[in-house]
Amino acid sequence: MNKMKESTLQATVGGLLHDIGKVTYRMGQDRRNHSALGYDALRQLVSDETILDCVRYHHADRMQDIDIPRDAPAYAVYIADNIASRADRRDLSDDADGGYDLTMPLSSVFGTMTGRLNQLCYPAVSFRGDKVVYPRSSDKAAVEKDTFQTYVSNLHTGLLDSLRQVSFTREGVNAVMSVMQHYCGFLPSDTAKNHVHDISLYDHVKLTAAFAACINEYCLAEGMADYRRVLFDHEKKFWSRKAFLLFSADISGIQSFIYNIASKGAMKSLRSRSFWLEMLMEHFIDELLDGCGLSRANLIYSGGGHCYILLPNTEDVRQTCDSFGGKFNQWLTEHFGISLYMAFDWQECSANDLTNTPTDGEAYEKTPYSDVFIKLSRKLSQKKMRRYTAEEIMLLNRHKGDSERECKICGRSDNLTNGENCRMCQCFIDLGNLITKSDLIISVTPDKPVSGAVAIQLPAVDGSVCMNFLRGDLDKHLAENSDVIRVYVKNVTLETRPKTCHIFMGDYVFDPDDPDISKLAVGKGVKRLAVCRADVDNLGKAFISGFEKPDAVTDEEKYRFVTLSRTATFSRLMSVFFRYYINLILEEKNYRLNIVYSGGDDVFLIGNWSDVINVAVGLRNAFKKYCGGALTLSAGIGIFPEKFPVAMAARSTAELEDKAKAFVDPATGRAKDAVCFFSPEDVYTFSWDQWETDVRAKIKQLSELFNYQKSAQDPNTVLRGKSMLYRILELLRGADDKINIARYAYMLARLAPDGKDEKTDETYNKIYKRFQEKMYLWILNERDRKSLMLAILIYVYSIRESGGNQ
């Protein structure tokens, strides 16, 4: 049950809408103050005058002589806007031109990460969701004034039309957020020429709403009834109050939980378990926010079993976090033993801390903002080291279940069904048949499950609830189930219905109606499956200190861009890429593979060996373009027979990913940013750049030589057999022995033209000469030798027949 107070609802919605007049202002037709423009645009849509006051009076000059109650939420939105703005706005340089530019494009926070301020920019588009939106150089992002105003005019029309469809109630807050993200996600919050423009209007209003909700709750709890005096007249004093809590939760044991499964039905179990863990975290977040009387505007980051939430520093909130977190862990223990555990804690902080502003009189010896994250991280680490109390350990050691049978998947002997599996594992199997369907409904109801659904009972702040997974029409489901608490809408970029939470999830599947992954192995060349596991390098470091400037002269300059707004924007963009854009990248060429998991910062793919390799390379290149090279990706790719156990393939590929993470390029000294390939014969690790420039080039040259067509009448004839390539491969592996180098030279000589067909020899001789010269050099260089070996393997895989056990 949502416990949000009416004034907190008004502060939240007022925060989300307070700058909506900026969209009208940027159309260039009305030069009134954007507060007045926003008020005029909304008064036909919003009947609550208290919310409208938040829009009309969120600047100091408009608050001087206003006649509103002294405890009006507008005061909370006013100071929240100032806090968010201080976190957002940074000068470009001391000598930058002043003034404003209404056509200013949004720049990328990834550019800020790498010191390229305002150099990577986005077009002014809505978040349509039909293609990846990449940043581009600022000169290419610039548009003519008339064109830009057309863009903004379209955004303005769509924004207001969508807001007409939402309800400004507790059940409609998430829909308001969805509308703002859709239309304001690629507009800058600030257009001053001398500022860095890397915070979108959406990220600014979302953070303002989070601050406003926390401030309202804090003032109510502290008995500060005169908001005007506390938040306006004595604003500076409030900035140093520890009014906020940065809350974090982290689920441990995810990897072993997902991959420690039986081979039977492994593919379904892998996908459904990873999907369910994502939904479990979403449920925890929403239940905690509801219990604290807040909305998803206060969610800073969620992904990979980890989250950050901004909360008010009140005793009720602390008790709710402690009580629900403990209850949640008890539920995990009862159902999964020690396999899963959630570490959670919080760190109190002030507006000065979150905007990285030292308290007056203190030296700028360290960043207050990073210090909050560091302290919180240490608390979580301590929680993980001391998971259980003595009573909980006794409970864990208590024998459960007298059955002589064990679950075929997890090995439990209690809570078994009539079949071979325990109840939870059976739910995961049933869920595996649903999650790829486009009409999947995920709804949360009070204790009673929805008829016909795969239902899992979960802990709630008050009692328990059921998470239901079923197929059907969402509107019909909502109409027939009036007691629905919330509904999760997957991969929809714009959602206006009440009770909905729109979430993104990487869920691309080549054929949703055919679960047999062995069929994915069929394609060009050998019949093999490949598994790819990849994740972002040094993401934790980027999250905490990615915006630091290590070469800065002063500490103030070093930490200038280390703020909550940039962390929140960075987190959102990462989530959008790995949870949503990845689907678009795979759908573009209809690759024969499935996403098992994609979220947070890592990816697990399985499918046709050739497609998996192409996707891994393409995904890396897309990510590099998406983040402007600010972050890198490392991956492991294993190739296996189509009947090889999926769980074993997953674990083997995880080891390859670790090798890629440990790679240091001998040519450049650069760590990670690599890919590690596995075949039954060997392991090959390269930087992505070496793959692009060396391995792919060698594959092309091998193809040119060995696929040379002897005649137009026989276009499929391969000039030399695969056996010769295998022999060359053996000699490359033994190149430390000089006799093998001599044998290698002999083998190359055998590839020379035979002189029987002058026309053929003339063409082939040119190809052979180019190839021979490079092949002699490659065997003498370890780096080239290794890349040639992998090139031969991949080329042979591409020309081998798909049948049999070759």
Side-chain angles (χ1 to χ4, degrees), residues 725-793:
L725 283 170
Y726 283 124
R727 179 58 180 153
I728 290 176
L729 190 60
E730 289 178 9
L731 296 173
L732 287 168
R733 290 187 179 123
D736 290 338
D737 188 342
K738 292 184 178 180
I739 189 62
N740 285 330
I741 296 178
R743 291 167 177 162
Y744 177 81
Y746 172 73
M747 291 294 293
L748 292 180
R750 288 188 59 193
L751 293 173
D754 57 16
K756 295 179 179 178
D757 187 327
E758 291 184 4
K759 184 178 180 181
T760 298
D761 289 346
E762 181 181 355
T763 305
Y764 181 64
N765 189 56
K766 294 178 180 178
I767 299 173
Y768 171 74
K769 285 294 185 181
R770 289 196 301 267
F771 183 76
Q772 180 191 43
E773 291 172 0
K774 292 184 177 180
M775 289 285 280
Y776 281 134
L777 295 175
W778 289 340
I779 194 173
L780 300 176
N781 181 282
E782 183 179 1
R783 178 183 170 101
D784 280 325
R785 189 164 63 242
K786 199 74 173 179
S787 61
L788 177 58
M789 290 162 64
L790 179 59
I792 290 174
L793 280 172

Side-chain angles (χ1 to χ4, degrees), residues 87-303:
D88 297 348
R89 295 174 187 174
R90 292 294 184 269
D91 290 341
L92 184 61
S93 65
D94 294 335
D95 58 350
D97 293 336
Y100 295 85
D101 181 359
L102 298 186
T103 65
M104 188 72 70
L106 174 70
S107 66
S108 170
V109 292
F110 296 115
T112 305
M113 265 187 168
T114 56
R116 292 174 289 171
L117 305 180
N118 291 348
Q119 293 181 32
L120 293 176
C121 300
Y122 297 98
V125 295
S126 63
F127 182 28
R128 297 190 305 273
D130 58 352
K131 63 179 180 180
V132 183
V133 180
Y134 293 104
R136 49 197 181 186
S137 61
S138 55
D139 58 332
K140 293 181 179 179
V143 294
E144 294 295 330
K145 184 176 181 180
D146 291 342
T147 306
F148 182 88
Q149 289 174 343
T150 299
Y151 286 162
V152 177
S153 178
N154 291 335
L155 293 176
H156 182 265
T157 300
L159 175 61
L160 295 183
D161 286 346
S162 295
L163 286 176
R164 287 188 180 92
Q165 303 173 40
V166 306
S167 63
F168 300 99
T169 63
R170 293 173 180 84
E171 296 177 339
V173 173
N174 290 330
V176 178
M177 284 179 56
S178 176
V179 171
M180 294 302 291
Q181 179 177 10
H182 187 82
Y183 291 105
C184 302
F186 292 107
L187 285 177
S189 66
D190 172 38
T191 60
K193 293 180 180 179
N194 63 335
H195 286 174
V196 178
H197 311 109
D198 57 353
I199 306 299
S200 74
L201 184 57
Y202 166 70
D203 288 301
H204 171 72
V205 300
K206 178 178 179 292
L207 194 57
T208 299
F211 282 132
C214 288
I215 291 167
N216 189 73
E217 288 289 317
Y218 178 81
C219 289
L220 290 174
E222 294 294 315
M224 298 175 178
D226 191 341
Y227 284 20
R228 182 178 180 89
R229 183 180 66 83
V230 174
L231 304 178
F232 184 71
D233 296 336
H234 300 284
E235 176 185 356
K236 187 175 182 180
K237 184 178 179 180
F238 187 86
W239 280 69
S240 61
R241 282 182 174 272
K242 301 293 185 181
F244 307 97
L245 297 176
L246 184 64
F247 175 91
S248 183
D250 187 17
I251 299 178
S252 300
I254 290 177
Q255 296 293 318
S256 59
F257 173 78
I258 292 176
Y259 299 114
N260 189 22
I261 56 176
S263 296
K264 184 179 180 181
M267 185 62 203
K268 284 186 180 179
S269 292
L270 283 171
R271 188 186 297 118
S272 61
R273 281 174 175 244
S274 59
F275 174 82
W276 179 78
L277 279 174
E278 286 288 295
M279 293 311 307
L280 184 66
M281 177 57 86
E282 296 296 337
H283 165 74
F284 175 84
I285 290 166
D286 284 308
E287 193 62 33
L288 181 66
L289 288 169
D290 283 355
C292 294
L294 302 169
S295 72
R296 286 179 78 91
N298 290 73
L299 175 61
I300 304 301
Y301 170 76
S302 173

Side-chain angles (χ1 to χ4, degrees), residues 452-582:
V454 176
I456 299 178
Q457 193 175 57
L458 297 173
V461 170
D462 297 319
S464 63
V465 295
C466 278
M467 182 172 284
N468 307 277
F469 302 88
L470 68 158
R471 298 180 65 182
D473 179 81
L474 179 56
D475 290 321
K476 182 180 179 182
H477 175 76
L478 289 170
E480 293 177 350
N481 297 274
S482 59
D483 60 346
V484 167
I485 298 171
R486 71 184 73 95
V487 175
Y488 293 96
V489 181
K490 184 164 63 79
N491 293 338
V492 174
T493 60
L494 179 61
E495 180 55 61
T496 59
R497 284 170 288 200
K499 297 186 178 181
T500 54
C501 303
H502 84 83
I503 58 173
F504 297 129
M505 196 160 290
D507 63 352
Y508 173 87
V509 175
F510 175 70
D511 186 352
D513 297 320
D514 190 349
D516 185 4
I517 61 169
S518 65
K519 294 182 180 179
L520 300 176
V522 178
K524 181 183 177 181
V526 69
K527 187 177 182 181
R528 290 286 188 274
L529 286 174
V531 169
C532 173
R533 296 183 62 174
D535 73 3
V536 177
D537 299 319
N538 305 317
L539 182 65
K541 181 180 179 182
F543 197 87
I544 294 175
S545 57
F547 292 99
E548 292 181 6
K549 298 174 66 176
D551 57 345
V553 176
T554 65
D555 283 345
E556 184 173 3
E557 180 66 18
K558 178 179 180 179
Y559 300 120
R560 189 158 68 104
F561 296 103
V562 182
T563 62
L564 182 60
S565 58
R566 285 174 178 81
T567 299
T569 300
F570 165 69
S571 302
R572 179 176 66 85
L573 292 175
M574 291 290 291
S575 182
V576 168
F577 184 87
F578 286 103
R579 287 183 165 194
Y580 187 73
Y581 280 157
I582 187 172

Side-chain angles (χ1 to χ4, degrees), residues 367-421:
T367 164
Y369 174 74
S370 292
D371 196 44
V372 171
F373 277 89
I374 291 170
K375 288 178 179 178
L376 182 53
S377 179
R378 288 172 181 167
K379 286 183 177 181
L380 289 180
S381 297
Q382 291 173 358
K383 286 285 185 74
K384 292 177 182 179
M385 293 174 64
R386 301 178 180 87
R387 291 187 178 188
Y388 306 109
T389 64
E391 292 77 11
E392 289 169 335
I393 293 174
M394 291 177 64
L395 179 64
L396 285 167
N397 288 328
R398 190 177 302 164
H399 177 70
K400 291 184 178 181
D402 296 323
S403 174
E404 294 181 358
R405 295 185 299 118
E406 291 183 346
C407 173
K408 296 295 184 182
I409 296 177
C410 70
R412 291 181 59 170
S413 60
D414 63 315
N415 206 21
L416 292 174
T417 63
N418 293 329
E420 299 178 329
N421 308 314

Side-chain angles (χ1 to χ4, degrees), residues 6-16 51 54 73 76-77 208-209 212-213 216:
E6 184 67 20
S7 59
T8 302
L9 170 66
Q10 292 164 336
T12 302
V13 175
L16 288 171
I51 293 176
C54 296
V77 173
T208 299
N216 189 73

